[in-house]
Amino acid sequence: MSNLLVRETQKLIKAQGSLLFVESVPGVKYGEIVEVELSNGEVKLGQVIDAGKSITVIQVFGGVSEVDLKKSKVKYRGETLKIPVSIDMLGRIFNGLGKPIDNGPEIIPEEYLDINGAPLNPASRLPPTEFIETGISAIDGLFSIVRGQKLPIFSGSGLPHNRVAAQVVRQARVRGKEEKFAVVFAAIGVPYDDAMFFIENFRKTSGLEHVVAIINTASAPIIERIVTPRVALTIAEHLAWNYDMHVLVVMTDMTFYCEALRELSAAREEVPGRRGYPGYMYTDLATIYERAGRVAGRKGSITQMPILTMPDDDITHPIPDLTGYITEGQLVFSRTMWLKGIYPPFDPLMSLSRLMKDGIGPGKTREDHHNVFMQLISSYAEGVRLRELSVIVGTESLTPRDRRYLEFADKFEREFINQGEYERRTVEETLDKAWEILAVLPEDELKKVKPEQIRKYHPKYRVSLPVQRTE
Amino acid sequence: MLKGKIHRVSGPVIIAEGMHGVSVYEVVEVGHDRLIGEVIGVEGEKAIIQVYEDTTGIQVGEPVYATGNPLSAELGPGLIGSIFDGIQRPLTKLEEVVGFLIRRGVKQPSLPRDSKWYFTPVVKPGVKVSSGDIVGYVQETEAVKHYIMVPHGVHGTLEWVASEGKYSIEEPVMRINGKDISMLQKWPVRKPRPYVEKLEIKQPLVVGTRVVDFLFPLGMGGKAAIPGGFGTGKTVSLQTFTKWSHADITIYVGCGERGNEMADALHSFRKLIDPKTGRPLMERSVFIANTSNMPVAAREASVFLGVTIGEYFRDMGYNVLLVADSTSRWAEAMREISGRLEELPGEEGFPAYLGSRLASFYERSGLVKAMGSPERVGSLTIIGAVSPPGADFSEPVTQSTLRVVRALYALDVSLAYRRHYPAINWLTSYSLYTEDVSKWWINIEPEYPTLRELFMKILQREAELEELVRLVGADALPVEDRLILEVARMIREDFLQQDALSLEDAYSPPLKTALMAKAIKLFYEKAQEAIKIGVPFEKVREMRVREKIARMKNIPFSTPQDQLITFFNDLYKSIIDEFNEITNEVESRVQSSRT
């Protein structure tokens, strides 16, 4: 409709960072997309971030470095940022703005969707309850993921977050079900080889045909970084709500996203919040992370696993802090564990899944799951406390009970958390292993599990199989 | 109607021109889609408007319509069991109309106009009535009788009152001085509803969580804050309080928080049966959901909407509990709007009026004598969650909140990492209601003040000793102190820890709480005596009865009182018996060594 109207201006007033101040045209819309035509014919996209009667502020994707105020032209498109979506996007690779970069054909759109989406009506949401078995004991046993959840990995530089995320993608399944699934992978400002690590991994295992990859590498314009996760989620929503697919969205690295946000905020000369990050970063991140869930009347679901590297391993840094306030738990990596040679190097005490309680238990995993989880964590916490104590006072001054806790904590790390990168454990195997390790402790210390569960699952009471007896 | 034009759009803030005569806090409709907004500043003929819906695509030059009314809540039958967004749009209805995504510009009346309610009058025409008088009621749900009151500002002779029967909320049910009045009332959300007087708080609002009820009781009509870093269990605690509290009505305000959490709360409130009424909790609850991805400006509206609905039920004589999760998100919204207005920022970019705005919310709590007859007392208790960045309580929102509230439940990251839930730190939390409600507690358990004091003393002593233990080890401590450490552990693990998911212990009735406390005190006293006469400390530590004490919390809360008392009397007896056993052993050894 707006194509009929000529809405363009050549009166460019000021260019700064990624912002362009231009004279307004009548009826400029907040959030509308503009084309900045450079003197050499190149066209850059931009978005209106402040629509005034006389002056419009435009944020230019790719920066304003080559914009010549005298010779450039700004065309208003009259529309907000929309991307074409289609089921054919599966198996393809796109850039941060949703353009194919794999030399394949253009996408024939089924629909054009606004990348900002629209908030899910809280009353239409279904609480996530379907347990996803990842085959990783630490996750399944201690911080289970359910469909529709958003559970980030808080990592540090040099830690194996990409390998763990790839293992989750490779192994995750819902027990006893064969359903349509898809993975949407968004690389945000990561080095090219990190992005390719995932692509290769997908290619080798489940096949690329289940995957939509959105790649915004470190060398791409920073402003595209803001758009990348939104493009990924818009595609995910199309697959989940219109094609009944269970979509897992992996986004790495959200730290680069937040840094891009800070850079833009500084360019807009906004009042900075903590550590220079904009005050609205919580809300901004929420508009990304909240695009996960299940809704009544639709079969599909969106589960998110964002990955972020904590600057200086600091969990109170605004990026992990605000993320943790929005997501439903967090999987925290520990450098200490990694140095001990433990893979995946989860910190069992700092990691948490808020939605676990609804996904486990009788009919879902096993009836002792909740109690075993509580017992493992509280006993491990006690073990860690005593370990710290023993560093100061020496192991000799510990009671026999305390020493058993130390043994438990070590065994828990080495045998339960530690696992092969290609090893898949069923949830039963995970829970049985947990009982084996709990057997290190005196029975009367197992207060979180029920007596009848002890009798049923504790190795001491389990009838051994004849085969084992002959050993 | 006054009509202006959009001059500038910057996110949720719009400047409109040609707005002569609008006033601050007046509701306006913005653009062709008629988005709901509120005037927050006027400069000549220009009005600064915050818009409660997404402004993307709004065009400069589009019309702005003034409505002449301040932002108001609709009050009347239909509130209970509803879920609203921040500007009281009925979310369940919106789903029917536009599907599962929230589209902007959709208008639906807050309360259903087509539902008919069975109205029963309780007064006869001809009498003089004034504001707040109860004229009749509607049994809104099995759990809630919705009283129909004479609106504020109306008084005179009740000329006519509708006879018993079904009416919609817009049909008149009474006539006062020639004016027809329906069950539907409107009230501006930013204005506190009037009452006769505030009363002194003397009763706790029992929430069924031991650390709150026993150590830091919440006053009925009180105000409390629950700050905590992420993962410390703020939301779980708040949900537990709302599920089990002794309030008649609960209002759950989800302000800038997670959508899945809201869905979880909604579903569990529909399923869970309220032990008091035998009906689903939903039948006495109101939900307000403005999740984090919904428009920022509506966060403030959601908080004031909640408090207005709370006051309305308080005026009927109910005890209302309102929880707001999280006030920090509201504060952040204030910061964002303030930034867009280019106001001079205060601490950490928050506006200078942060404190007074927060206070204007918490100050609407209270135990009051309501207006009108019959005479009645109602209360509104407010618990606000605070989400301090980096779990650092020195930040402005936590600090401003602490200046207004009278009880603090400080959630502690290190307790949460140790999976001590609820992770309410007993050393930093406090309640200024403890004294006020201790008489109430004494009626249940005469020893309450001594018990509480003893527990606090032991826990504080433990904290001191811990430092020492780190240096010299527990074995180097005198026996008395080692006993303190053991008993403190007992208090922490067997009394304060309470599993919100447990079928037996998610709720702890006051009597059970008191009886549990007495068991621990009994153990402590007996152990002191035993040690005095020379029983080795290891013997006491390894007593069999300790496991029984550890499992005492598992006695289901639904256990009838007499059985509960029998259970604990048995437990006390086992404690005494085993102590007799071990002391006798020692005494007989002493005797035999003498002979």
Side-chain angles (χ1 to χ4, degrees), chain B residues 33-76:
Chain B
D33 286 343
R34 290 183 173 248
L35 310 184
I36 303 292
E38 191 183 21
V39 176
I40 51 173
V42 187
E43 264 181 55
E45 47 98 46
K46 278 190 185 147
I48 305 163
I49 296 160
Q50 61 174 346
V51 183
Y52 290 134
E53 296 175 73
D54 182 23
T55 53
T56 308
I58 293 292
Q59 234 166 341
V60 170
E62 280 188 56
V64 176
Y65 307 90
T67 63
N69 298 316
L71 190 65
S72 301
E74 286 199 349
L75 303 169

Tab-separated table of all heavy atoms in Angstrom, chain B residues 33-76:
chain	number	residue	atom	x	y	z
B	33	ASP	N	-5.759	2.555	15.840
B	33	ASP	CA	-6.060	1.321	16.565
B	33	ASP	C	-6.610	1.601	17.968
B	33	ASP	O	-6.984	0.681	18.678
B	33	ASP	CB	-4.797	0.456	16.707
B	33	ASP	CG	-4.431	-0.200	15.395
B	33	ASP	OD1	-5.301	-0.244	14.506
B	33	ASP	OD2	-3.285	-0.665	15.257
B	34	ARG	N	-6.611	2.856	18.343
B	34	ARG	CA	-7.070	3.285	19.664
B	34	ARG	C	-6.402	2.508	20.797
B	34	ARG	O	-7.058	1.828	21.597
B	34	ARG	CB	-8.593	3.185	19.755
B	34	ARG	CG	-9.273	4.245	18.883
B	34	ARG	CD	-10.773	4.194	19.032
B	34	ARG	NE	-11.402	5.312	18.336
B	34	ARG	CZ	-12.038	6.315	18.964
B	34	ARG	NH1	-12.115	6.338	20.272
B	34	ARG	NH2	-12.594	7.278	18.265
B	35	LEU	N	-5.077	2.572	20.825
B	35	LEU	CA	-4.320	1.937	21.898
B	35	LEU	C	-4.539	2.710	23.193
B	35	LEU	O	-4.674	3.926	23.186
B	35	LEU	CB	-2.823	1.937	21.577
B	35	LEU	CG	-2.419	1.425	20.204
B	35	LEU	CD1	-0.895	1.391	20.095
B	35	LEU	CD2	-2.985	0.033	19.962
B	36	ILE	N	-4.562	1.961	24.292
B	36	ILE	CA	-4.805	2.610	25.579
B	36	ILE	C	-3.515	3.260	26.084
B	36	ILE	O	-2.452	2.646	26.093
B	36	ILE	CB	-5.277	1.580	26.619
B	36	ILE	CG1	-6.533	0.859	26.148
B	36	ILE	CG2	-5.505	2.236	27.977
B	36	ILE	CD1	-7.756	1.730	26.087
B	37	GLY	N	-3.643	4.519	26.486
B	37	GLY	CA	-2.490	5.219	27.040
B	37	GLY	C	-2.935	6.097	28.190
B	37	GLY	O	-4.134	6.249	28.454
B	38	GLU	N	-1.947	6.641	28.887
B	38	GLU	CA	-2.258	7.477	30.035
B	38	GLU	C	-1.389	8.725	29.961
B	38	GLU	O	-0.191	8.630	29.690
B	38	GLU	CB	-1.954	6.679	31.308
B	38	GLU	CG	-2.463	7.301	32.579
B	38	GLU	CD	-2.047	6.490	33.807
B	38	GLU	OE1	-1.078	5.722	33.722
B	38	GLU	OE2	-2.678	6.642	34.852
B	39	VAL	N	-1.977	9.871	30.206
B	39	VAL	CA	-1.214	11.115	30.175
B	39	VAL	C	-0.340	11.165	31.420
B	39	VAL	O	-0.821	10.986	32.535
B	39	VAL	CB	-2.168	12.334	30.162
B	39	VAL	CG1	-1.375	13.638	30.222
B	39	VAL	CG2	-3.050	12.294	28.923
B	40	ILE	N	0.973	11.351	31.216
B	40	ILE	CA	1.815	11.447	32.404
B	40	ILE	C	2.451	12.824	32.542
B	40	ILE	O	3.167	13.098	33.488
B	40	ILE	CB	2.910	10.354	32.425
B	40	ILE	CG1	3.683	10.331	31.117
B	40	ILE	CG2	2.307	8.998	32.709
B	40	ILE	CD1	4.874	9.386	31.148
B	41	GLY	N	2.175	13.693	31.573
B	41	GLY	CA	2.697	15.048	31.693
B	41	GLY	C	2.000	15.945	30.687
B	41	GLY	O	1.588	15.490	29.623
B	42	VAL	N	1.841	17.206	31.046
B	42	VAL	CA	1.224	18.159	30.125
B	42	VAL	C	2.116	19.383	30.053
B	42	VAL	O	2.613	19.861	31.068
B	42	VAL	CB	-0.185	18.578	30.612
B	42	VAL	CG1	-0.878	19.427	29.557
B	42	VAL	CG2	-1.030	17.369	30.948
B	43	GLU	N	2.351	19.855	28.815
B	43	GLU	CA	3.169	21.052	28.621
B	43	GLU	C	2.458	21.895	27.582
B	43	GLU	O	2.505	21.560	26.399
B	43	GLU	CB	4.530	20.662	28.049
B	43	GLU	CG	5.633	20.499	29.070
B	43	GLU	CD	6.931	20.133	28.353
B	43	GLU	OE1	7.339	20.879	27.441
B	43	GLU	OE2	7.488	19.085	28.708
B	44	GLY	N	1.760	22.913	28.015
B	44	GLY	CA	1.000	23.723	27.065
B	44	GLY	C	-0.049	22.864	26.391
B	44	GLY	O	-0.811	22.163	27.047
B	45	GLU	N	-0.016	22.842	25.057
B	45	GLU	CA	-1.023	22.029	24.370
B	45	GLU	C	-0.466	20.647	24.042
B	45	GLU	O	-1.072	19.873	23.336
B	45	GLU	CB	-1.528	22.758	23.123
B	45	GLU	CG	-0.438	23.355	22.249
B	45	GLU	CD	-0.093	22.476	21.076
B	45	GLU	OE1	-1.038	22.008	20.423
B	45	GLU	OE2	1.105	22.253	20.826
B	46	LYS	N	0.741	20.371	24.539
B	46	LYS	CA	1.340	19.061	24.296
B	46	LYS	C	1.148	18.151	25.506
B	46	LYS	O	1.271	18.601	26.648
B	46	LYS	CB	2.838	19.205	24.021
B	46	LYS	CG	3.095	19.586	22.583
B	46	LYS	CD	4.565	19.504	22.247
B	46	LYS	CE	4.783	20.021	20.844
B	46	LYS	NZ	6.069	20.683	20.696
B	47	ALA	N	0.836	16.901	25.219
B	47	ALA	CA	0.672	15.943	26.302
B	47	ALA	C	1.684	14.813	26.127
B	47	ALA	O	1.904	14.350	25.012
B	47	ALA	CB	-0.738	15.372	26.293
B	48	ILE	N	2.301	14.429	27.229
B	48	ILE	CA	3.199	13.271	27.202
B	48	ILE	C	2.379	12.068	27.657
B	48	ILE	O	1.725	12.115	28.701
B	48	ILE	CB	4.404	13.488	28.138
B	48	ILE	CG1	5.109	14.792	27.753
B	48	ILE	CG2	5.356	12.308	28.065
B	48	ILE	CD1	6.017	15.307	28.832
B	49	ILE	N	2.423	11.043	26.843
B	49	ILE	CA	1.531	9.906	27.083
B	49	ILE	C	2.354	8.637	27.171
B	49	ILE	O	3.243	8.403	26.337
B	49	ILE	CB	0.528	9.788	25.909
B	49	ILE	CG1	-0.357	11.034	25.864
B	49	ILE	CG2	-0.303	8.522	26.007
B	49	ILE	CD1	-1.005	11.252	24.525
B	50	GLN	N	2.087	7.803	28.185
B	50	GLN	CA	2.686	6.470	28.136
B	50	GLN	C	1.628	5.505	27.628
B	50	GLN	O	0.474	5.532	28.045
B	50	GLN	CB	3.262	6.042	29.493
B	50	GLN	CG	2.279	5.957	30.639
B	50	GLN	CD	2.953	5.375	31.884
B	50	GLN	OE1	4.030	4.826	31.816
B	50	GLN	NE2	2.288	5.504	33.023
B	51	VAL	N	2.051	4.671	26.679
B	51	VAL	CA	1.090	3.810	26.007
B	51	VAL	C	1.212	2.397	26.556
B	51	VAL	O	2.312	1.875	26.706
B	51	VAL	CB	1.324	3.829	24.481
B	51	VAL	CG1	0.274	2.999	23.773
B	51	VAL	CG2	1.278	5.265	23.981
B	52	TYR	N	0.082	1.801	26.892
B	52	TYR	CA	0.065	0.488	27.503
B	52	TYR	C	0.102	-0.659	26.502
B	52	TYR	O	-0.101	-1.799	26.866
B	52	TYR	CB	-1.173	0.363	28.400
B	52	TYR	CG	-1.080	1.236	29.631
B	52	TYR	CD1	-2.140	2.031	30.051
B	52	TYR	CD2	0.087	1.253	30.370
B	52	TYR	CE1	-2.032	2.818	31.181
B	52	TYR	CE2	0.196	2.044	31.500
B	52	TYR	CZ	-0.865	2.826	31.899
B	52	TYR	OH	-0.748	3.593	33.018
B	53	GLU	N	0.276	-0.336	25.231
B	53	GLU	CA	0.381	-1.384	24.229
B	53	GLU	C	1.553	-1.055	23.317
B	53	GLU	O	2.069	0.055	23.343
B	53	GLU	CB	-0.942	-1.482	23.438
B	53	GLU	CG	-2.108	-1.893	24.331
B	53	GLU	CD	-3.442	-1.891	23.614
B	53	GLU	OE1	-3.646	-2.804	22.804
B	53	GLU	OE2	-4.252	-0.986	23.836
B	54	ASP	N	1.954	-2.033	22.514
B	54	ASP	CA	3.107	-1.872	21.634
B	54	ASP	C	2.842	-0.767	20.612
B	54	ASP	O	1.800	-0.732	19.968
B	54	ASP	CB	3.361	-3.210	20.933
B	54	ASP	CG	4.581	-3.143	20.039
B	54	ASP	OD1	5.444	-2.276	20.287
B	54	ASP	OD2	4.667	-3.943	19.095
B	55	THR	N	3.825	0.133	20.459
B	55	THR	CA	3.606	1.297	19.590
B	55	THR	C	4.223	1.136	18.203
B	55	THR	O	4.176	2.070	17.408
B	55	THR	CB	4.203	2.571	20.223
B	55	THR	OG1	5.569	2.289	20.535
B	55	THR	CG2	3.462	2.980	21.456
B	56	THR	N	4.792	-0.020	17.926
B	56	THR	CA	5.426	-0.220	16.620
B	56	THR	C	4.409	0.023	15.497
B	56	THR	O	3.296	-0.486	15.543
B	56	THR	CB	5.986	-1.646	16.504
B	56	THR	OG1	6.808	-1.880	17.638
B	56	THR	CG2	6.799	-1.830	15.247
B	57	GLY	N	4.813	0.807	14.507
B	57	GLY	CA	3.936	1.061	13.375
B	57	GLY	C	3.009	2.252	13.561
B	57	GLY	O	2.293	2.636	12.642
B	58	ILE	N	3.025	2.851	14.730
B	58	ILE	CA	2.188	4.033	14.964
B	58	ILE	C	2.803	5.210	14.199
B	58	ILE	O	4.008	5.416	14.210
B	58	ILE	CB	2.121	4.348	16.474
B	58	ILE	CG1	1.375	3.242	17.211
B	58	ILE	CG2	1.488	5.702	16.734
B	58	ILE	CD1	-0.086	3.170	16.898
B	59	GLN	N	1.925	5.964	13.553
B	59	GLN	CA	2.373	7.011	12.645
B	59	GLN	C	2.271	8.401	13.259
B	59	GLN	O	1.300	8.674	13.980
B	59	GLN	CB	1.454	6.989	11.424
B	59	GLN	CG	2.166	6.867	10.137
B	59	GLN	CD	1.209	6.519	9.027
B	59	GLN	OE1	0.100	6.037	9.241
B	59	GLN	NE2	1.628	6.782	7.804
B	60	VAL	N	3.252	9.217	12.965
B	60	VAL	CA	3.154	10.613	13.369
B	60	VAL	C	1.951	11.216	12.646
B	60	VAL	O	1.767	10.976	11.459
B	60	VAL	CB	4.450	11.357	13.003
B	60	VAL	CG1	4.281	12.860	13.188
B	60	VAL	CG2	5.607	10.842	13.849
B	61	GLY	N	1.128	11.968	13.368
B	61	GLY	CA	-0.042	12.571	12.747
B	61	GLY	C	-1.334	11.821	13.002
B	61	GLY	O	-2.411	12.338	12.753
B	62	GLU	N	-1.219	10.584	13.510
B	62	GLU	CA	-2.447	9.847	13.827
B	62	GLU	C	-3.178	10.536	14.989
B	62	GLU	O	-2.549	11.211	15.804
B	62	GLU	CB	-2.113	8.387	14.217
B	62	GLU	CG	-1.854	7.483	13.015
B	62	GLU	CD	-1.717	6.008	13.389
B	62	GLU	OE1	-2.650	5.473	14.020
B	62	GLU	OE2	-0.684	5.413	13.071
B	63	PRO	N	-4.482	10.337	15.073
B	63	PRO	CA	-5.248	11.042	16.116
B	63	PRO	C	-5.039	10.452	17.510
B	63	PRO	O	-4.677	9.285	17.658
B	63	PRO	CB	-6.700	10.830	15.684
B	63	PRO	CG	-6.689	9.601	14.862
B	63	PRO	CD	-5.364	9.562	14.182
B	64	VAL	N	-5.250	11.309	18.513
B	64	VAL	CA	-5.232	10.880	19.915
B	64	VAL	C	-6.530	11.377	20.545
B	64	VAL	O	-6.857	12.557	20.435
B	64	VAL	CB	-4.028	11.485	20.667
B	64	VAL	CG1	-4.073	11.115	22.141
B	64	VAL	CG2	-2.715	11.029	20.047
B	65	TYR	N	-7.281	10.483	21.145
B	65	TYR	CA	-8.574	10.874	21.719
B	65	TYR	C	-8.496	10.915	23.240
B	65	TYR	O	-8.019	9.962	23.860
B	65	TYR	CB	-9.658	9.859	21.338
B	65	TYR	CG	-9.759	9.584	19.857
B	65	TYR	CD1	-9.017	8.565	19.269
B	65	TYR	CD2	-10.600	10.353	19.058
B	65	TYR	CE1	-9.103	8.312	17.918
B	65	TYR	CE2	-10.695	10.099	17.691
B	65	TYR	CZ	-9.945	9.075	17.118
B	65	TYR	OH	-10.028	8.829	15.782
B	66	ALA	N	-8.949	11.986	23.817
B	66	ALA	CA	-9.011	12.061	25.278
B	66	ALA	C	-10.321	11.417	25.725
B	66	ALA	O	-11.314	11.436	25.002
B	66	ALA	CB	-8.968	13.511	25.727
B	67	THR	N	-10.321	10.813	26.898
B	67	THR	CA	-11.550	10.172	27.379
B	67	THR	C	-12.169	10.917	28.552
B	67	THR	O	-13.311	10.701	28.903
B	67	THR	CB	-11.287	8.732	27.868
B	67	THR	OG1	-10.398	8.803	28.983
B	67	THR	CG2	-10.680	7.870	26.790
B	68	GLY	N	-11.371	11.762	29.185
B	68	GLY	CA	-11.889	12.503	30.329
B	68	GLY	C	-11.857	11.728	31.626
B	68	GLY	O	-12.169	12.266	32.679
B	69	ASN	N	-11.487	10.433	31.563
B	69	ASN	CA	-11.486	9.627	32.787
B	69	ASN	C	-10.078	9.196	33.169
B	69	ASN	O	-9.253	8.953	32.309
B	69	ASN	CB	-12.301	8.348	32.577
B	69	ASN	CG	-13.740	8.659	32.261
B	69	ASN	OD1	-14.354	9.514	32.898
B	69	ASN	ND2	-14.272	7.991	31.238
B	70	PRO	N	-9.832	9.062	34.469
B	70	PRO	CA	-8.552	8.488	34.878
B	70	PRO	C	-8.589	6.971	34.676
B	70	PRO	O	-9.667	6.387	34.499
B	70	PRO	CB	-8.463	8.839	36.358
B	70	PRO	CG	-9.881	8.953	36.803
B	70	PRO	CD	-10.663	9.423	35.616
B	71	LEU	N	-7.424	6.334	34.713
B	71	LEU	CA	-7.336	4.879	34.567
B	71	LEU	C	-8.091	4.231	35.728
B	71	LEU	O	-7.761	4.451	36.888
B	71	LEU	CB	-5.873	4.453	34.591
B	71	LEU	CG	-5.611	3.005	34.213
B	71	LEU	CD1	-5.969	2.728	32.767
B	71	LEU	CD2	-4.157	2.648	34.468
B	72	SER	N	-9.126	3.469	35.392
B	72	SER	CA	-9.998	2.942	36.443
B	72	SER	C	-10.156	1.435	36.341
B	72	SER	O	-10.017	0.858	35.269
B	72	SER	CB	-11.386	3.572	36.352
B	72	SER	OG	-11.280	4.960	36.479
B	73	ALA	N	-10.459	0.841	37.478
B	73	ALA	CA	-10.728	-0.595	37.506
B	73	ALA	C	-12.229	-0.800	37.518
B	73	ALA	O	-12.963	-0.025	38.126
B	73	ALA	CB	-10.115	-1.207	38.762
B	74	GLU	N	-12.695	-1.831	36.838
B	74	GLU	CA	-14.098	-2.216	36.934
B	74	GLU	C	-14.235	-3.173	38.101
B	74	GLU	O	-13.497	-4.157	38.205
B	74	GLU	CB	-14.548	-2.910	35.639
B	74	GLU	CG	-14.727	-1.964	34.490
B	74	GLU	CD	-15.603	-2.556	33.384
B	74	GLU	OE1	-15.890	-3.763	33.422
B	74	GLU	OE2	-15.996	-1.781	32.495
B	75	LEU	N	-15.168	-2.884	38.989
B	75	LEU	CA	-15.349	-3.710	40.174
B	75	LEU	C	-16.775	-4.235	40.203
B	75	LEU	O	-17.723	-3.487	39.958
B	75	LEU	CB	-15.065	-2.876	41.432
B	75	LEU	CG	-13.674	-2.231	41.475
B	75	LEU	CD1	-13.580	-1.217	42.614
B	75	LEU	CD2	-12.591	-3.285	41.616
B	76	GLY	N	-16.920	-5.503	40.512
B	76	GLY	CA	-18.243	-6.106	40.565
B	76	GLY	C	-18.147	-7.604	40.387
B	76	GLY	O	-17.048	-8.142	40.213
